[in-house]
Amino acid sequence: MSEDKLFDRVGRVFPSGEILFRDGDAAETMYVLRSGRVRVFKEVNGREKTLAFIEAGDFFGEMALLNNKPRTASAECVEETAVLVIDAKMFEAMLRGNAEIAVRMIQRLAKRLDEANGLVGVLMQKDPKARVILGLERAAEGGIVLEDGTVRVLTDEDQLALEVGVAPEDVRGVLQRMARLGIVEVEDTGFLIPNVMRLHEFLEFLQSRSKS
């Protein structure tokens, strides 16, 4: 079946601001993004935490279909968006009949497992300063790379504190110190990291100080 015919069958166009699904909803469909952009977010302590931006050509919402559990995050169109809406029966048929889709799914699951292992590594650090720095490094891997190479991370102090298991005031102290050194710039919507390598170098410096 051609892509145009498939879109005629299961395609839909949503306006900017449309919520495709919310955290806790029952999962009946997944989505393949044909055009536009989708923000995946979760509400934490009354504040929205952006988890990812989905770009054209990618798919999302499949995990809830695979494990038959409610949605674990919400998805919002940030511009006019065209998607293929795939139900569980069609999804299973696609996995069985299309090797490329099956391989992409395996790659997606492997990436999520790697991210989970990375978070475990962060949480095993006893030094809260190390947790904050490693948490920023992880966030930078999924950040937005600007033209000059600076990475914009769309999270804030409270969200970072929650993710790495460190008190917000301790996170704030580490960030303020790194801001004075020019390693991080704190914005209202997140952080700017001019050179991610400097995060690693600063962590090594702190660890060497603690051993001396």
Side-chain angles (χ1 to χ4, degrees):
M1 182 182 295
S2 70
E3 289 191 11
D4 288 339
K5 289 183 178 179
L6 183 60
F7 190 81
D8 289 340
R9 180 182 171 190
V10 298
R12 291 190 64 185
V13 177
F14 295 97
S16 176
E18 181 82 10
I19 299 295
L20 299 178
F21 54 79
R22 291 192 179 277
D23 188 3
D25 285 352
E28 299 177 349
T29 55
M30 64 164 286
Y31 301 84
V32 179
L33 189 57
R34 287 281 300 271
S35 64
R37 200 162 183 246
V38 171
R39 179 175 73 102
V40 179
F41 66 94
K42 190 175 183 69
E43 188 170 299
V44 180
N45 295 330
R47 302 182 66 180
E48 288 186 0
K49 176 182 179 181
T50 297
L51 304 178
F53 284 98
I54 309 299
E55 307 290 346
D58 206 351
F59 52 87
F60 60 100
E62 77 286 350
M63 290 304 298
L65 284 184
L66 287 171
N67 58 26
N68 197 29
K69 291 182 178 180
R71 304 286 189 192
T72 57
S74 304
E76 175 192 26
C77 301
V78 295
E79 56 188 68
E80 184 176 87
T81 298
V83 296
L84 301 177
V85 184
I86 310 296
D87 62 20
K89 184 177 181 180
M90 179 178 286
F91 182 44
E92 182 177 351
M94 290 169 66
L95 288 178
R96 291 179 180 275
N98 191 312
E100 180 182 353
I101 292 176
V103 168
R104 289 182 64 188
M105 182 62 60
I106 292 171
Q107 291 172 335
R108 169 72 66 86
L109 294 174
K111 180 181 179 182
R112 290 187 178 178
L113 179 60
D114 184 60
E115 290 173 348
N117 288 336
L119 182 57
V120 170
V122 172
L123 296 176
M124 287 180 66
Q125 295 287 329
K126 294 181 180 180
D127 184 355
K129 294 187 291 295
R131 287 192 186 187
V132 174
I133 296 168
L134 290 172
L136 271 179
E137 282 188 342
R138 289 186 68 253
E141 291 176 1
I144 301 169
V145 181
L146 306 181
E147 291 184 1
D148 63 354
T150 298
V151 177
R152 171 170 280 126
V153 176
L154 298 177
T155 188
D156 61 22
E157 295 175 1
D158 292 337
Q159 292 167 354
L160 181 60
L162 182 65
E163 182 171 331
V164 301
V166 175
E169 56 270 22
D170 292 333
V171 170
R172 193 168 300 113
V174 176
L175 291 172
Q176 288 173 350
R177 184 176 180 184
M178 288 195 292
R180 289 195 297 269
L181 294 170
I183 299 173
V184 172
E185 180 180 336
V186 181
E187 298 185 314
D188 291 338
T189 58
F191 310 103
L192 286 177
I193 305 174
N195 187 337
V196 177
M197 182 58 66
R198 290 197 64 194
L199 286 174
H200 185 70
E201 292 171 350
F202 184 58
L203 176 59
E204 289 184 337
F205 167 74
L206 293 177
Q207 291 175 335
S208 66
R209 288 277 302 273
S210 65
K211 293 177 182 178
S212 60

